[in-house]
Amino acid sequence: MRLRALLENDALGLRLLGGEDELDRSVRGVMTTDLRDPSRYLSGGELVLTGLAWRRDAADSEPFVRILAGAGVAGLAAGEAELGDIPGDLVEACAQHRLPLFAVNETVAFATITEYVVRQVSGERAGDLAAVVDRHRRLMTSGPAGGGPEVVLDLLTSDLDLRAWVLSPTGRQIAGAGAPLPGPLAAVLAGHHLAATRTGRRGPHRAAVAGTTYSLFPIRNTGRGAVPAARDVRESVLSDWLLAVEADASDWPAARLDLLQGVTQLIAVERDRRDAARTVRRRLAQEVLELVQAGAAPAEIAARLRVAAPVLLPGLGVAPQWRVVVARVDWSAGGQAAAGDIASGPVAQALLEEILVDPAVSGPDSADRIAVAHTGEEAIALVPLPTATTAAAGSGEGASGEAARADVEDADALDEEPGLHADALLASVREPLSAGLADDGRLTLGVSAAVHSAEGLRGALEEARHARRVAAARPGRVCAAGHHELASHVLLLPFVPDDVRRAFTARLLDPLRDYDRRHRAELIETLEAFLDCDGSWTRCAARLHLHVNTLRYRVGRIEQLTGRDLSRLEDKLDFFLALRMS
């Protein structure tokens, strides 16, 4: 049954105090409690009835509601018999956590509501209950611990004719039944899921792409022994997996929704198991990082690397090269917790482990050669790079892979310097991650040059950190910078004070922008193309599809409006810097 059905029965004496947009939630049971923490007795989908005996003061309301929301209850009904009107702090807490709240008239017994809900839910589920129980039993006996998530997804296909895929938050396919989901489509679905999760809406989320409807279920372990739910969605949104089902779940019966929720629980347990398996790699990275930051002797660091190499490069021996990648996730104020209270280090750690996986590689174990530690708010990856000969004989080219070639203009440079390239790392994940970061988060990333010995790791760490600071000075939600940018003007531009930047660009570019607005002359576009073509009249005219005389007229107008001479190197350089800083 749906929550809104409770309001249609006047005999129940319920009055809605908040959550009108959530009244289509399914009610799968009912529970009466006055415990301060009833989570151990909740399994999700319940209507919780309370007499408010747990409330001693206003500060008690938010923790109680947060526990209910984390357990996935459908709604809360509070009796008016004890306190009269429902306290405003409880109303506010329910609004904050998007939990529908009802007031129960003091003349109505909780038993009346319980009896009604049980009768309705039992009637709706009786016909399908046996089938659901049987499928759950099969899933539990054949589930992830016995064969991976693919086993569960195969059962969904064979029993319910549902095509489904497990995706990472960047859209990388972890598992699937049948044909793989195309990469661009998976990225779009991941972006839909992250955006919906950031709004606080409960799953499944509906997404329509290219005429096909998908239902997106969050994968998070809420059973016994699970990690407590995050107090702020930003602490988990960038690391949780999702289940994408090719179907519209909005009109599904409760029994089928129950089954899919069970599937996500099974996959969540498998996700936790695989995360636990990363502990060794994370610990190795942490030990090396601590030695490097403490200024330990290179011989001591080299000894630790010899221990790490067989784990990070199984079967390939000692890595001759290493790179350091530094990532940081920053949040602005807002949300359920102050931005400074969010533990960003673990978020960046899980995200960097995902980003460093070759986007062309599927499966949950493709990050086996990545070791990421976190210190403070930073995540730091120690990435071993096999020799070119070894890489050619292996399964790929490391984290950048063939997919990165399409995003790097200089393919020869990629061949000459193997490994990671900052822009290529983010090329395939920028869209979904931007949706998860929304308008209050930023991801910045820096990549060091390759080093060939333990002596170079400290310098590589500082280089990666400095590259990340260069990336942080750029606009955009997802930004990266590589070591090669630290030896050019790119290093200097981000650190020019904002007032100096604005004054410099305004003096050179504002006259051109004003003229373009009035006359649609495209002088800014012409200036950019002229500088990109190194002042070549013929190449610039060809790029802009103009006659050379028209181009000369436009350049003359630029010089007239700004008082500059584009035949002089100094003036060309000033325009170049102004365009880069604008």
Side-chain angles (χ1 to χ4, degrees), residues 48-254:
V48 174
L49 306 176
T50 180
L52 301 178
W54 50 265
R55 183 184 178 279
R56 292 173 299 191
D57 55 45
D60 292 335
S61 292
E62 196 279 333
F64 179 77
V65 173
R66 178 173 8 110
I67 289 170
L68 298 187
V73 305
L76 174 65
E80 296 178 324
E82 183 72 19
L83 301 178
D85 291 337
I86 305 303
D89 48 87
L90 181 60
V91 176
E92 182 179 349
C94 287
Q96 177 182 345
H97 291 278
R98 302 179 69 92
L99 184 67
L101 175 63
F102 301 87
V104 183
N105 191 282
E106 60 182 358
T107 62
V108 177
F110 283 175
T112 302
I113 300 174
T114 300
E115 180 181 354
Y116 174 80
V117 173
V118 169
R119 187 168 59 250
Q120 295 296 318
V121 171
S122 299
E124 291 178 0
R125 298 179 66 176
D128 295 325
L129 188 56
V132 171
V133 170
D134 179 64
R135 289 191 182 102
H136 269 292
R137 184 181 297 112
R138 291 172 61 191
L139 290 173
M140 290 301 294
T141 56
S142 306
E150 288 84 357
V151 174
V152 181
L153 302 184
D154 285 340
L155 283 175
L156 287 180
T157 301
S158 61
D159 280 21
L160 300 180
D161 195 27
L162 291 175
R163 298 179 65 208
W165 302 265
V166 178
L167 305 178
S168 77
T170 65
R172 182 173 61 89
Q173 181 170 316
I174 306 296
L181 203 62
L185 174 58
V188 170
L189 293 179
H192 273 289
H193 174 75
L194 291 174
T197 302
R198 284 303 312 274
T199 66
R201 300 203 310 270
R202 294 180 59 193
H205 309 303
R206 184 179 181 274
V209 182
T212 303
T213 300
Y214 299 86
S215 295
L216 312 174
F217 293 79
I219 295 176
R220 185 168 179 81
N221 191 356
T222 58
R224 291 188 177 183
V227 177
R231 58 182 174 175
D232 191 302
V233 69
R234 293 175 290 184
E235 292 184 352
S236 61
V237 66
L238 296 176
S239 58
D240 288 344
W241 289 355
L242 66 135
L243 177 67
V245 181
E246 189 178 311
D248 188 350
S250 61
D251 57 354
W252 280 3

Side-chain angles (χ1 to χ4, degrees), residues 356-442:
L356 288 173
V357 176
D358 187 335
V361 175
S362 63
D365 294 322
S366 52
D368 279 351
R369 297 176 184 174
I370 298 167
V372 183
H374 73 83
T375 174
E377 301 302 308
E378 286 182 335
I380 301 172
L382 183 66
V383 183
L385 304 175
T387 61
T389 302
T390 304
S395 59
E397 296 182 334
S400 57
E402 291 295 334
R405 293 183 179 274
D407 300 297
V408 178
E409 292 182 1
D410 189 355
D412 292 334
L414 184 62
D415 288 330
E416 293 169 4
E417 193 174 11
L420 310 174
H421 292 261
D423 290 336
L425 284 176
L426 298 179
S428 62
V429 301
R430 181 172 276 107
E431 181 180 350
L433 291 185
S434 296
L437 293 164
D439 57 357
D440 60 351
R442 291 198 74 206

